Amino acid sequence: MGLSLWAWRAGALVMRGGDYKPLGALLTWGVLVVAFVLFWSLASMLIVGSRHKGPWGDLYNKLKTSRDQQMEAITRRR
């Protein structure tokens, strides 16, 4: 939201007839946000995996249990 407001005030989103520059700016920000989320999740997975001590099966079971608990919490909210 803040990025869109800043881009609007900077003039990056001002659209004139036949001008597609604002679409490029919006697409670029969208790609950057998606890349940020992907790299953040990859980094968190690497940190969790590197800090784990013991067999990989234990890590898998721990992550599966955590995921199941989170899914159950989400379905209870609805």
Side-chain angles (χ1 to χ4, degrees):
M1 181 69 171
L3 292 174
S4 297
L5 181 61
W6 173 79
W8 183 268
R9 298 184 111 224
L13 299 179
V14 176
M15 193 161 195
R16 294 171 186 83
D19 181 20
Y20 296 107
K21 188 168 39 169
L23 296 177
L26 288 174
L27 183 62
T28 301
W29 281 113
V31 168
L32 287 173
V33 167
V34 168
F36 174 78
V37 170
L38 283 172
F39 288 127
W40 190 266
S41 64
L42 177 64
S44 67
M45 287 188 291
L46 289 173
I47 290 171
V48 168
S50 68
R51 296 190 67 192
H52 177 71
K53 293 187 183 351
W56 290 109
D58 291 345
L59 177 61
Y60 173 78
N61 292 335
K62 178 182 169 185
L63 293 176
K64 185 174 185 286
T65 303
S66 174
R67 183 187 66 211
D68 291 342
Q69 290 173 348
Q70 291 172 0
M71 291 298 288
E72 185 178 316
I74 290 171
T75 56
R76 273 189 275 140
R77 289 184 197 156
R78 291 183 179 185

